[in-house]
Structures are given as structure tokens and as C-alpha cells.
Amino acid sequence: MDRGDSASAVTCTLCGEAFSLPEDEVDGNLPRVLLCSHIYCTSCLQSIECSNVIRCPECEVESSLPEGGVYGLQEDSRIIGLIYTAKINNMKRKHPKKNKRLPFTDINANTEEVEQLADIEKIEKVVDEALARATENLAQLEHIYETLTRGLAKQVKREQDRLVMEIKQAASKAVHAVQKWKDVQLNQLTKFEEKLPASQSEVCRVQERMKALEIAMQMAREVRRVPFLEQYCTLDKVLETLQAPVDKQSFDMNCITQGSGMSFPKSPPKDRQPGTPNRNSRWQHAEGRNSSCTRPGHNRSPSPQHQEGLITSSPSLRESFPTPRPHPRSNLSRHSSASDLVTPDVIIEEFLDQGQENAEALPPTGPELANDKWRSNRKKKKQMFGSKRRRVSQWVVVTHVVNPSHFYVRYVAERRGSENLSKKIYRLCSKHSSRFSSNDTVETGSKVFVKSEEGIWCRASVVEVFQTDCRKPVKACPVTQLASVQVYFLDYGFTKSVTIQSEDGNTESLLKAVNNHLKKVKEAPNSELGRFVSQAIRCSLKDLVPYDLTKGWSKEAQVEFQSVVGSAAVEMHLFGQDRDTLLVDLRKCPMDQSSQVPISVREYLVFIEVARLYSPVTLDRRPLLYYPPNYPKINTELNAVVSNITNPADFHIQLVDNMESLLLSAKLQECYNVTSTGEDVLDIYCPVIGQPCVARFDDKLWYRAQIIGHPGGRKVEVLYVDFGNTKILSVSDLRKIKDEFFALPSLAIHCCLSDVFPLDGENWSDACIKTFISLAHQKLVTIVATASVPETELLPVKLFDSSLNGPVANIAELLVKEELACFRERLKPKGPRPPGDYPAIWDPPLNLGSLATESRDAPSQNVTREQEEEPREFDTQLKICAKLKDLKVRVSHVNSPSSFYVQFTQCDSQLKSMCERMKKECEHMEAQDVVWKADMYCAAHINGVWERGQICSDVTSSNIAEVIRCDHGNRAKLHVSNLRPLPPSLMGALAVECTLTDIRPAGGRSTWTATACDFISYYLTGAQAVLNVKEFTDERPVHVTLFCSNRMGQFVSIADFLAKEGLALKKRKPASVCPKPAPRTIMSAEKVKTQLYLPPELPCLGNIQMTISAIGEDGLIYAQAQNAECQLEQLRERIQQSMKTLPRQKPYTWKMVQGCAVIGPDMLWYRGQLLELLGGHVKVQYVDYGLVENIPVVHVYPVLLCEDVPQLCMPCKLHRIKPVGGKWQQDAIGLLREMLLSRCVDMQIMELPADPRAPLTVEIFLDNMSLSRILCQHEHASSDRTASAQKRPSMLPVTSFLDDWDINTEGLREPEEPVLGPFIYQNMPQEGEEFKVRVKHLWTPNELFLWPLEGTADVEVDRETLDEALDRINANIDSLPRLTTFPEGGPCLAEYSDGKYYRAKLMKFTSLEPIKILVQHVDFGSDDTLPTSKLRQIPAELLQFPSRALKVRVAGFKAPSVNRHEDKLPYSPGWSVKAAMEMIDLLHCNITATVLARNPELKVLLYNEEGKLVHLPLVRSGLAELE
């Protein structure tokens, strides 16, 4: 960022606008800092903000915004100080001082007051000027101080890391005797700043200078505030301190680039024995430059033929080498001698280093590149002294891949540096001095600039040179004989062959061909670019080798590596280095910021079996794990389902005491069925054993799972944690699990049968496993835990068959009874039977008093048969008392939130007993001829079980009865042969109908929506719940409050849950104490009376086609005529024009209101009819559609809309059929809506009503099938009388409905309008043809209508031009008839604004009341909307003239991507009105057109009189962009 004197020099790098400070009421455009340290203006940050997150345009790092949004981000104080300084300097330039000498006044008691005031003003001016200069100096000093402190911290960290690594290398290969020595050496590194005195001294100098400047600024501010204090201080010294410039050269900035000169030995001293610690050894410095080690980055081999051990410290060699060089290896390598491995002694060495130009360096991520001192424009990171990192990581982009052990990357943080490098290279290549001449030579190893395929000049090093007529490469070749050259791109890492081809073969052509591909690098540019090191860094995936070592890396490995990495930024973890190669691992982190382990490229390649790991890799992150399942309490009966069985000692169960499993399954399907189709962020590329995931099963549903094995072949073995079964799946069937699905613990509990063992004591037989599976698998059982075990062990349980059709059985005893298993003898049950293992008994009726006080968690209080002294009397009816609390129930059936049935879990045994008794009573009972009436009790045979039932309605001749199940609540349709009379002693019900209190349907409806009913039915049917009875009455349903447990095990009110989901509303509770109302003015309701809308126009008797718009609850069918759609469109426009604003809401009396205006759900006005007033809602019917809705009163207004228009909807009823039961049932209404809504049907009008508002009597036919017969076939209706099969009446043509009158109409008809053909278009110019044109109409700046000035104007027909013919016709225009037919594209004569008629063609109707038509003048290109009175029939001779106007698209420019102008063209918002006006002004001259293309549209280039493109001024002014 520039440090100019003007505020405009400090600009935003994204938009180019200058930063500004807030002044008066104008908001400023302040610079703000993102988390990645990049700085942008406030306007740009607001434009790129998305969901309270900003992605940096520079490095693409996301920054979460604080509470204040963009304005909460930190402002850059340094730039603000520069802006303020520039502003002060501008003010000084605008108001220069006449006398710049410092006014020193001698305050004297005898001085006059006027002179004293003048001196005060001079002091104030001088102090202001000094303060402005001091502010700038302080900003520079702060920047220098920040650079030095940050550099010192990095310097300390770098030297500490290097020395710690050397110490650890020496200590790891030493014997145990040197352990104490290593600790001593490490302890000496704690205060390493003392080892760098040069850097510390410079920091102290800057601190002293800053302190002195701050003191002087404080004194100057006090003098500025109280000028009389000048006599108490030496003002000239203060001003000298404030105005003293900051000389950066006076500070040794190179000190932070120097090393400490400390190292560790490579051989022990001669006077010490190996293994004995040197107690006198300390950190020292060696003398001279004869050290055996130099700084990384200054060593390279002069040539490939030189020995590897040759080391030099020449910096010039560093700049000429194309790739980074490594730190020289320590002697503590595998080639070291045994004596070297155990030496603890220290040899002090000195490191020679050059000063850095930029103190800020990247963290040490590469052998030389990361420590390089020439990198600039890198990402800033705030670091404190002593900060430590476990592992170095950087964001990089892979530029070139040879194989997984040889690829190149570039740092993302280096993007700005790369841009600066590209700009410098482009500037150098643009100079004439960079071109090759005939005297130049291309040599191997030299540096050149090469143009890439994208047309960008890049740095490269010549690898091979091929001369013309020479097959083998040469070391040097003249440019005029160059055939091809192979170059290595220093900043990308790949090699490319460039072939030189010339057209003529002469020297000039060859030089031109060479300069098109290559540019030479001079010594001066080479030194200028020397501070930019190679951007491409060679890397290798650590410890990764080919899958088949004999074949090496396969092509598949390279392709898979490239596909998983792609072109996006990845995170690179550095492990070490091997010569000039970094040993890394690349990680592709998930975009959803979840807690899952990032994708490791190494592990992914190993998983797909294209590579192998040389050594094991440990993960640095631990994934989230599922919560263990909740084990049941000991000796507690619970219902469960056996989900998976391996053998009786290894199976899994699921508890069924809440609805969390259903909710979890629904959420999983909803989430992953959508995500898996479009996004790939949840895909798993490299599964890890133990990783939680979501896996697809054979039923194509998603379930929670955990990876437990890698069988190979891109397969994984997973364990479904909610069921317990395992399966081998493909990786494509896995998805990452979201954090929200970890909240619910695993549902599968690993169990074993208690005290049961195999017959042989070791292995379970196949017969035993099959029998156990048939008894328990996927069945509802009762479990009792017999012991408390850790969560890692199997839970011993007892299983009891909980079927309702038979006695309770212990499954373990069944296996023992069939001699498939055996009990442990000492635990074999001989005494009382376990709970529940009893024959069926008559359980006592529900004791309401005990239920009210019984705890939900006290199953041990169940009364057994042995504890009872006398059997109690059996009760078939469930009795409920008031104020019951905390009752455990099971929801058996759900109709709606206002009607659902529950069973008390305490009555399960009573329900089983009732089933057995019904079976005994009715099993041998024969069918009887009974007339079944409504509300009669019966015994119903449903699904093979006899149950108690009650008839819902009288049984008709169909012998099908609808029965409600008394003990369950749902309904079933049965044949009368499955019914038996129920004995009076068995009448009653064990299912109670309930309704939720304190809620009402949402949306103002009186009934529950189908969504609410389906929602509560899906989640509640079969669920365990807790019930509270609000108020007990004899009425049904009972008002209750229902609670179910959520995923956290907390009980949640179902009413609150429905209200939270938006499916219900809370009922308003009346205030217990009515407060005394304050005196107020009572507005009297306005009495309003409206009439009904006009009745619909009834059709004639016969056949007609109608569109069905609605089906009423009473079975009425509402139909619209074929032309109703057009009439509705006109009516809608009239209504919206008349009701542009909402009328003022007033209290009305609705008794006399019939017709009204209604605001529909789409916020449009409709005509309605008031049917019923329902408190704050009213029931209205849309008279033009037939729909009926309950809407709030505030959306209804007692006014009539377009009362002259009759209703467009006619009610109809079917002819001679009646519904079953006397009224249409809901399933019949649903069938009618499914078949008829929005469908065009054939209708035969049978009878017209006397009242035009009454329904028509009709017959409706669907595909030649009578609707009445369809309803009778589905038993929804019956025929009124026996009718013979009737055929569908044939549809008569429209003319058959007209009466055939004998009337002579000769002479009454008007002459028919002749049918004329289209206009003749002029010949299109050829491509490349130039011709003079005149622009007649401009649609957009690049879409025009123009006239060719040659050819068309001179066309004559019958010796008459087009202009002469139009003048003749306009002179007698009244003789031409008006236009009566309006075909699209038809020719006509249209009146223009000048009163004359011109040729035109019809485009479309724009309005129907009044009728207006859009026409286009074919000779000008303009269009106009005209009534029919301004249109005339065109004479046929005018069609012989070709149309003059050509529609063209002007090539070469387009609308700007960002249109900053408020006034835009309404039909083309990309263009501004200013651009159109500027283009019109540019076209007011002699224009020449050149044809570029004829298809698919005519494209031209327009030139002005000077031969320049007319659109260039638009581009320069920013109103357009080049195409």
C-alpha cells in the first residue's frame, strides 16, 4: 500500500476505491482487517458477506463476523493514521504559511495583549504542523517496531526449533549416560533472547525512540491546549524531536535475519572419551569462516558432475539454481560411525548469513523456501514470543503431479507475491531489450521467459536444446538455427517442449517465431527477479511407496492422486525433508467444519490399494464416538425388540419405551436422501477403523453405523449401532455423520441369555440358534436384566414372549425344554417363577386411587398370583377418575390431535385376559342372522383374532360393516359373516379416546389439517407416553396432556411440540381476574349491507366442455366455461387496478353482508361471498372459483368488486344419483377431487334450475366413462332409479346448437378482408461486406435497426417508390377499411405520432378493455401500442416493397458486469439509460457497417467517419465492456 501524501493513494485492493474517514453526517469507508490479516474497505466486505461469514478473496480463508457484523471488525490504525496525515498535508498545501520560521517569543509582563495573541496563533500552527509530522513518524516507528519484534520472535523460534532438533537427534542416538547432559543443554535454551544481543539492542533503540517521541507529543499537546506552558519547557527541543525524520537505514534491520552462530558437534574433542559428559562444555562461537556448515539456502553444487559434498556460501549461485536446495545433512546419519553416535560433546560453529530485505518470513515449512529471506506479500500471522507448534502446516495448491512421491505445490499465502512476479515478468517481456537477436545463443542451463498455453509469460530454465538438422541435443545453439527447446518452469514444476516453426524459413521469420515463444533474461532483470525464488516446491508423501514395488508407480496412482487433490487448496502437514524434497501429507478438510477427521491423501491412496505405507501413520485427531446405550435397571420389566441374533449368548435388543428411534430414522432419511443426490461434502474417501458414519442398508435406507474392518477391494465392514448387525459395504454407501446425530445414544444393547449354556458347554448348535431366531428375532419381547455389568460387557437378560395370543413363556425355558440348551444347575429356577411367567389370570380392574399415587418407576410393586389370597372379580370396563397424574400409556391409534386412543400399560394383563376370554366365547359360536344397527356391540373376527367391537353405522345390503375396535380405537370394514353378538358381560372398552388440551388448529381452521394428523400419527402410533387427565367428565374424548421422551430422555409435551412445529396454536387462556377497564372511547360498529354478485350466465341444454375448479364438501361440483380463463385474467386486472391500496379497517356488522372482497393467500384481491361468521374468522366462498375457506376477518372487506360482471363459476350436481348414507363422505369427496380438479371434462346439461344461483343438473363423462357410474362402482353413491346402460352422448358441433331459420342474409354480410402474405425482406449483405448505413431505431446500445443507404431506397414498383406510394395512400386514408382480423405477424398500416400511416406488422394484444395491439413498424424498427381505430388494411401493392429496417447486433462490446447507475433500461436491466443516450449521440454521424456473421443473427461492426469503432467511448467511460 502506497504511503503517498494524498488520501487517495491509500486504496482498497479489491475495488480500487480510496479509504475515507467519516466526516459530519457522511459515513466513511474505513479499512478493516480480516482474521487472515488481509485488509479491505467496509463497502467491499459488506458486498461479499454471506450468512455472517466472509471468505477472503485473497486466500479464501473464512472469517466469522462478530456481533456488530462488518462494523465489528478491527480497523487498521496504521492506514487511518496515513489517511489523517495525508489530509493534514493537503490542508497545508491549500493554506501555505507565509513565514516558516519558528516564532520564539519572549514572554514579558510588559508585552501588549495583541502581540501575545499573535504569538499564540503562531505557536498553535507550528505545533499542529509538528504533531502531523510526529503522527506519521510514530506510525513508521510502530511499523518498524512491529516488524522487529515479530522478526525477533520468529528468529528466536526458528533458532530454538533448529537447535532443539539437533539436540534431540544427538540425544536419541546417544546412550543412557548422556540423558542428564541433554537436559542440561535443553534448560539453557529457555532464555535464548540473551544469545541474540544485536536484535535485542535494536529493539531497545526503537523503544527508546518511541518513548521519547511519545513524551514530546504529550508535551506538544499540552502546549497546544495551554499555550502559556511554552515558557516552562524548551519548545525548540520538543519541536526538533517531533519533526526529526525516521531514517530506516539507521536501524539494523538485518539483525533479525542472522543466526545465533550456535550448533552442535559432528565429532567429539580428542581429549574426551566417548560416554563421559563434558561438564565444562558451554555454548561458544568458533573462529573464522572455516565452519563445516553454512546457512541453508546458500549451498548448491556448481554442476551435476561435482561431488555432492562440495559446499559453498556464494549467494549468486543460490539465485541461479532453479529449485530449492536442502539443508546439508548432519553427520548423525545412518552412514555415521559408531563413535559419532554416542558423543555428547559440543563443537561450537558459526553460521554466516546475509541480511534480509523483508523481516517477515513464512513458518519453516520447506528446506530452503520456507526460510528464504526474499519472499514478500505473504500472509501475516500474529505470534507471541515463545509460541510453539506441534506440527507445521500450510495451505497449498498442487501445480504438477509426476507421482505421489514427486509433485510440486505452491503456497496459497504466496498469491500476492505470484501476482507481483507475473507483473514484473510481463513488464520485462514487453521491453524491446528482451527480444532475441540474430547474434544471441540459447544455452543449456540458462534462464529464459516462456509463454505458457494460457498466454502468460513465465520463468523457465533451459534443459535441452535441439538444433536444426540435428537429432541429438546440443549444449548451445544460435537463435537462428533453433529447432526446439525443452524448458523447466521454475514456478510450476513441470517440463515442456517448445517447438520453433517459421513460415518462410528466413532469419527474420525465425527470430519472430522464437520471440513469440521465448524471451531472453538480461543480467539486470535477473538480479531484479532474484528476490523471487522458485514458487514451485517439490514434495513427496511421507512413507508412501508403490503398491507393487517391482512395477513402480502406476498411472492409476497418479490419476487418483490428481482427482482427490484437484485444483482446490489443501492443507499440507510437514514431517521433514529429504535433500531438496519436503516430506509431507496433504489433507483435504471438510467444508462443513464438522468434527470428522480430514481426508488424508496418503491414507486414501492406501485404502484404494494403489500405494502402501512404509511405516504406520497415526491420526492427530480423534473422531467423535457414539454414546453407549442406556442399560435398563435390574429386575425391571421392559418391552423390547430383538434386532440381531448370533446365538443365545450373543444378540442385540432395542427398547421400545419412546419414539426416539422413529424420529431418528425419519431425520436420517430426510437429511441424507437430499444430501447424497447433490452434494459430495459428506462423502467418505478414506474410511478409518472406529470412525462413526451413516451407512445404507439393503432397503436403501440410511442408518447410523461404525466402521470395524477393511476387508479390501474398496469395501468396509460396518456395525449398525442401533441394530447390532454387521455388513460389508462399498465405500460409496457411506456418508459422514453430522454432529446432531451423536446426541442419541446407541439403541442396540448387546445381551446374552442369563444362566443358559450350550449342551456341550462350548458351542451352540445350529438347531438351537434356528429355534432361538424363530422365537425372538424381530419380535416384541419382555426383558428383565438380571445383573449390572460394565458397558463393555454383554448384559445378561431374561426374555419372555409378550404375544397377546397365548400365555407368557420364558424363552430360555423353551430352549431347555426342547433339550437345545441347559441351565446352570445352581441357578436353575425351582422356587417362584419369574415376573410375568404365569398362566393367564383375571387381573383386577384398574384401581384409580392407587394409580393416582403410583410411581411410574415401580414395576416391582406388581401383584402376583401367589401374593393374592383371593382372586378378584374380572372387570371388562376401564374406569377413570378425575385428576389422574403421570399414568403410563401406549398410544394405540391416532385420528388427529383432537381424537386419539390410548391403552394403560397397567392393564396389559387385563387386555391379554380379555383376548383369551373372547377366544373361548366366540371360537365355537356360529354365525347368526342379525340386523346390525349403529352403536351395537359385537364380537369381530379381525386378522384371525376375536375382539370386541362396536358398529359405526347401519349395515346396508352390501353386508359390509364398519366396526370400531373397542380395545384399540381404530376402525375396520368387515363382512357380516365375521361378526357375532357380544355377551353383555363382555361389553366395554379398554382403549380411551382422548384429546389434547390448550391447543387449536393452525391457520384459522376449525378442523385439523391432514399434515398435522399425519405428523402426530407417524410419531405417536405405538409409542409409550405419560398421560395427565386435566378434567374428568362423562364426555368423550377425555381432555388430557400427553408427554413423550425426546432424544435426551426428557419428557416433552406433545401439544408444545405441535405448536413449535407450526401445526397448532396455543389456546388463549382467559384472565382469572378481570381488571377494571380504563375509560376509553367505544367505537360503534358501522352497519354495512351488500348484495350478492350477479348470478352466472347459464349455458343451453346439451353438450359442452367445462373446466372443474372446485369440489365442495357437500358434493357440489363447480365448473367454469372454456373462455373463463381469459375472463378471469381481465377481471383480475380490473380488480387490482381498482384496489391498489388496503381499505381502512373498521368494525363492521356482518349480518347484512353477502358479497365481499377477499385478500387471498397470494395477497391478491378476489370476489367472495360471506357464508358464516366464526368469531375472529369468517367462512367465505370465492364466487369465481367455488373454493370455501376460513380466513381472518381483517382479510375481508364489505365491498363489491366489478359488480357488473356475473359470477364465472357455476355449481353443478350429478343427475339421478344419491350418496350412500344421505350425504357425501370424505373418501367420496377425495375421489371426486382426484379425478376432476383442474380438468377439462365433457358435460351434458340435463336440467336448468329456476333459480340461476341453484346448481345445474348435469352428467359428466371422463374418457367416455360416466362419472355417476364410477361413483356407484366404488360404492360411494347409488342410482336413483334402475336405468339401462346408457351410451355416452356424442359431442355435436357448435353449429348444430343454432336454430335453422329460413332467413335471407344476402347483402347483409360485409366484404371479407383479403388474406395477405408477409412482408418481403431485403437481401442480407454478405460476410465482410462494408456499406453505408443510417440508424433508425435503438433497442439497446448493441441492438439496432438500421437502413442500408444503397439499394433499398431506390426500389420502384409500377414506377413508384415506397415514399411516393405512402404519400398517395395517406392523402386518401379514410377510403381504406379498418382492420378486422388480427393474426400474429399480419401486415397492416399503423398510424404514427405524426398522424401518417406507415407499414407495420401485428405483434400481440396488450389489453382487451380497451383493445390495444402492439405493432412494429417494419421500415423503422420501432414499436407502438395502438387501438384498432388507428389500424388500416394494407393495400396489396405495398407488400411488393421490401422492408427497409435491418435488425443487427453490434459486436465487440457488451453490457458492463457491474452497472452502478440507478436509471436502467426496464426491458434490458443490464444497460443503463445513460449508455443508451451516449450511444445515440455517437451514432449521429456517417456510419459504416461491416458484416461479421449472418447466422443465427446479423452481426456487424460500426465505424464512424474517422474509421474508429463507435463503441470505444462507451468502453472508456465504463458504460460498457469489451466482449
Side-chain angles (χ1 to χ4, degrees), residues 73-109:
L73 292 175
Q74 180 183 358
E75 301 168 353
D76 190 278
S77 59
R78 183 177 61 85
I79 297 180
I80 293 177
L82 294 178
I83 297 174
Y84 181 80
T85 302
K87 184 177 179 180
I88 296 298
N89 292 337
N90 288 337
M91 295 176 60
K92 290 193 299 182
R93 284 195 292 268
K94 292 180 181 179
H95 305 285
K97 294 181 172 54
K98 297 181 179 180
N99 187 9
K100 294 186 179 180
R101 293 183 301 170
L102 297 180
F104 296 101
T105 60
D106 187 8
I107 305 296
N108 200 341

Side-chain angles (χ1 to χ4, degrees), residues 793-856:
E793 298 182 7
L794 276 66
L795 178 68
V797 297
K798 292 183 179 180
L799 296 185
F800 301 95
D801 184 10
S802 59
S803 175
L804 299 179
N805 298 329
V808 177
N810 188 334
I811 294 180
E813 290 188 355
L814 293 178
L815 295 177
V816 174
K817 185 178 180 180
E818 296 183 11
E819 297 183 354
L820 299 174
C822 64
F823 284 117
R824 184 182 299 177
E825 292 184 1
R826 64 183 181 88
L827 295 176
K828 187 171 183 179
K830 296 180 181 180
R833 300 188 180 187
D837 193 13
Y838 296 99
I841 61 171
W842 301 126
D843 288 347
L846 181 62
N847 189 337
L848 301 180
S850 63
L851 286 178
T853 59
E854 184 180 9
S855 174
R856 295 194 306 253

Side-chain angles (χ1 to χ4, degrees), residues 1153-1180:
V1153 176
Q1154 294 180 338
C1156 58
V1158 182
I1159 299 180
D1162 53 356
M1163 301 308 294
L1164 297 179
W1165 289 95
Y1166 295 92
R1167 303 194 300 172
Q1169 179 180 345
L1170 188 65
L1171 300 180
E1172 185 181 358
L1173 186 62
L1174 305 171
H1177 292 73
V1178 292
K1179 181 184 289 186
V1180 297

Side-chain angles (χ1 to χ4, degrees), residues 446 486 623 710 941 1136 1303:
S446 61
Q486 190 174 13
H710 287 166
H941 195 249
Q1136 305 310 322
I1303 299 178

Side-chain angles (χ1 to χ4, degrees), residues 15-184:
C15 63
E17 298 292 336
F19 298 120
S20 60
L21 302 178
E23 296 182 3
D24 298 333
E25 298 180 356
V26 180
D27 295 334
N29 196 17
L30 295 176
R32 301 187 184 273
V33 186
L34 295 177
L35 295 181
C36 56
S37 300
H38 289 122
I39 303 172
Y40 301 100
C41 67
T42 305
S43 302
C44 291
L45 293 178
Q46 289 177 337
S47 64
I48 63 178
E49 176 191 0
C50 180
S51 299
N52 212 27
V53 174
I54 293 180
R55 182 187 292 272
C56 179
E58 184 81 13
C59 60
E60 300 183 356
V61 173
E62 292 185 352
S63 301
S64 299
L65 296 181
E67 293 183 357
V70 174
Y71 292 97
L73 292 175
Q74 180 183 358
E75 301 168 353
D76 190 278
S77 59
R78 183 177 61 85
I79 297 180
I80 293 177
L82 294 178
I83 297 174
Y84 181 80
T85 302
K87 184 177 179 180
I88 296 298
N89 292 337
N90 288 337
M91 295 176 60
K92 290 193 299 182
R93 284 195 292 268
K94 292 180 181 179
H95 305 285
K97 294 181 172 54
K98 297 181 179 180
N99 187 9
K100 294 186 179 180
R101 293 183 301 170
L102 297 180
F104 296 101
T105 60
D106 187 8
I107 305 296
N108 200 341
N110 298 325
T111 307
E112 295 182 358
E113 184 178 0
V114 177
E115 295 179 356
Q116 185 177 11
L117 293 177
D119 293 338
I120 291 174
E121 292 179 357
K122 292 180 180 180
I123 292 175
E124 290 179 351
K125 291 181 181 179
V126 173
V127 171
D128 288 340
E129 180 181 357
L131 283 175
R133 182 62 179 173
T135 302
E136 184 176 358
N137 293 340
L138 182 59
Q140 294 184 19
L141 288 173
E142 288 178 350
H143 177 67
I144 295 173
Y145 177 74
E146 181 181 0
T147 303
L148 286 173
T149 53
R150 188 185 296 110
L152 178 59
K154 292 181 179 179
Q155 184 183 19
V156 171
K157 180 65 170 58
R158 182 172 64 249
E159 293 300 315
Q160 281 186 340
D161 289 344
R162 182 178 63 80
L163 293 174
V164 167
M165 182 179 64
E166 292 186 7
I167 293 172
K168 289 184 178 181
Q169 286 179 352
S172 61
K173 297 181 180 181
V175 293
H176 295 287
V178 299
Q179 183 64 35
K180 185 177 180 180
W181 170 86
K182 184 190 73 171
D183 295 337
V184 173

